[in-house]
Amino acid sequence: MSGYDLVDVEVTHEPAGDLLDSLSEDGTEEDHLRSIQAVRLQAGQPDSELRSLKELDENSVKLLEHQVDAAYRALFEMDGKALLADEVGLGKTIEVGMILKEMHFRETDDSVLILTPAQLAKQWQAELREKFGLDFICNYDDEFEDFDAHDYVIASIDTAKSERHRRTVLDRDWDVLVLDEAHYVKNEETDRYDLIDRLSYDYAFFLTATPIQNELTDLYNVVSLLRPGLFGTRDVFHHYFVNGSQETLVNRDELQDRLNRVMIRNRREDTDIDFTDRTIDTRTFDPTPKERELYQAVSDYVKGAYGQDQGQKLVLMLLQKEVVSSPVALKRTIEKRLYEQSELTHADELETILDLIDEIDTVTKQERLLDIVEEARDNVEMGRVIVFTQFRATQQRILDRLVSEGYTVHAFHGGHSSSEKERIVEDFEEEGGILVSTDAMSEGRNLQFCNMLVNLDLPWNPMRVEQRIGRIHRIGQKRDVFIFNMALKDTIEEYVLERLYHKIDLFQQSVGELSSILSRLEESGTSFEDEIFERLMNANSEVDLENDFDAMAVDLQEQRELANKLEEFNSAVFEGFDLGEGDA
């Protein structure tokens, strides 16, 4: 950041605006470069209209006013370098699609690199092709050779930073860089940050719904990658904009002015989008005596095995989840465990569990699912219902049962190819019926044509539950959404539902709120699922377990309050600084 190093400058007696204005005056070379880039964008189109929009198919994409405004501002008011920071669910991908379409129209996109989290790369590829007619190669495609072999590339950021590809990515001068989930590069000590810092590009568009996750430094790091020098050095930034405890902003007007040069943030309440209501229906069922006996046997085995070898945590946690999903899912894991470890200390217990599984002739959840989908057949368009389960074995058993009852069914899981997944979704939309899916569907799919979802078994991480719900409860959904949660009474599943999720109303939180709550919990190095499992293992009685989960609910409520305070802090940064006159 040549020309911006102010470490040796005395700053205590000079107004923030005057000093920071001097930063821009020193950046003449960068300003000149930005002017050249702006001329490229406007070449032949001096009126700076989004002329490519007329080429879009209205049946493929419906553009909303805030999205069009964001694309225009990013291109022509921010000279092609912008942080798109809309709240979750407002269509930042659509905004980038419009930007790229316009740049293609103006022939300023000879090479484009889009970096995303791995699980979102194919979604980006599909949306840009289907909605904007833009063809990109994805690093997961068979045809992908390397980053220097294609001009329009979508790749996971971790692939780009890998030892195999990093040099090729950095050796190329890119016209356009798009970085999704930009908060992943908030830490300047990571390889991801270093990659973006070293990349060569003319235009850049970063996307994140959470520019600040824990402290204002997050925002500084992300913005400094996009627009170096905008905030000066880190020391100057902290001196002028943050008090010692990082809880109170100072010089807010100046910070707002500088953010307005690079960041666009739309909030749900500021748009004209009318999101439909979400209704949650949790149904708990008494297990049969045989199911209860099986659950107790598995829980006793898991607790005993964990007490002897805590390194088994993942497989033991899996058993505890499978036993409330279906006997057939549990059976496969038990058989595999016996086969792979023939001298296992607890072999007799595992054999007993297998015998108990074989004695079960009625699977309660499976039978009660029929009641729910029967309601849907009578009351929902084309009887469409999405049923989620975490396990392939459970999925197959449900499919077989539904087929035997005469239902039209569709299966979706991670083993399908990209083209197969597309066809399955199309068949579900056209034919109706029941789509039974694993969590391979929980991200990256838009299924607004369906408005009813069943969680047959429940992930212990509420973010994964929200990702499932987000497939149908999003922009474009015209009807109210109905979510059914199924749980067996007196099991870990019921505790998670009743004593955690419902107690602090997690089902009504936004993805952004959930992310804030969970990220604060996981800063301690403990995941949400680990915390649940540890409480289950350490409880000496049912009363202890209830008390432990009540305590966890209190902890989560406190995290939620912290998240709310963080949102108030974000509001101070992003939405106008209407917090009184003068600075703290």
Side-chain angles (χ1 to χ4, degrees), residues 564-584:
N564 289 339
K565 291 179 180 178
L566 181 62
E567 177 57 30
E568 293 174 6
F569 181 73
N570 283 349
S571 296
V573 179
F574 299 137
E575 282 106 36
F577 299 90
D578 296 328
L579 302 178
E581 297 182 4
D583 294 323

Side-chain angles (χ1 to χ4, degrees), residues 432-531:
I434 315 300
L435 174 66
V436 185
S437 178
T438 65
D439 282 314
M441 172 73 81
S442 66
E443 289 186 345
R445 293 286 164 180
N446 301 324
L447 302 171
Q448 298 94 320
F449 57 82
C450 179
N451 69 320
M452 186 169 171
L453 183 151
V454 179
N455 289 307
L456 184 98
D457 48 48
L458 208 68
W460 293 355
N461 187 323
M463 183 64 77
R464 287 179 59 199
V465 180
E466 180 57 36
Q467 287 166 346
R468 290 177 173 184
I469 297 172
R471 298 309 96 222
I472 64 175
H473 199 210
R474 55 196 298 114
I475 289 178
Q477 178 59 264
K478 305 300 184 184
R479 296 158 295 178
D480 291 345
V481 166
F482 297 90
I483 311 298
F484 292 84
N485 299 314
M486 304 181 70
L488 294 177
K489 290 182 179 179
D490 302 319
T491 66
I492 182 64
E493 202 167 42
E494 185 186 24
Y495 285 115
V496 170
L497 263 174
E498 298 297 340
R499 298 198 172 268
L500 291 182
Y501 289 5
H502 284 295
K503 207 152 198 173
I504 64 169
D505 203 18
L506 278 174
F507 285 109
Q508 299 299 335
Q509 306 305 306
S510 71
V511 173
E513 289 170 318
L514 283 178
S515 178
S516 298
I517 293 170
L518 297 180
S519 64
R520 288 180 171 275
L521 175 69
E522 294 182 2
E523 280 176 14
S524 64
T526 302
S527 75
F528 196 90
E529 295 194 351
D530 286 340
E531 185 79 9

Side-chain angles (χ1 to χ4, degrees), residues 189-208:
E189 297 179 357
T190 63
D191 290 341
R192 290 173 176 173
Y193 183 98
D194 185 68
L195 176 77
I196 304 302
D197 190 34
R198 294 173 183 272
L199 268 171
S200 173
Y201 52 84
D202 291 335
Y203 308 104
F205 307 96
F206 289 8
L207 292 77
T208 178

Side-chain angles (χ1 to χ4, degrees), residues 88-107:
V88 169
L90 295 184
K92 292 184 289 296
T93 307
I94 299 298
E95 293 169 0
V96 170
M98 281 190 278
I99 290 169
L100 295 179
K101 185 72 174 179
E102 187 68 21
M103 297 187 77
H104 191 69
F105 182 86
R106 294 168 184 265
E107 299 180 347

Side-chain angles (χ1 to χ4, degrees), residues 33 54 60 63 86 132 141 169 248 266 342 470 472 505 528 554 572:
L33 178 60
K54 63 179 180 295
S60 298
L63 304 179
D86 291 356
F132 298 96
D141 292 339
V169 174
T248 305
N266 292 301
S342 58
I472 64 175
D505 203 18
F528 196 90
V554 171

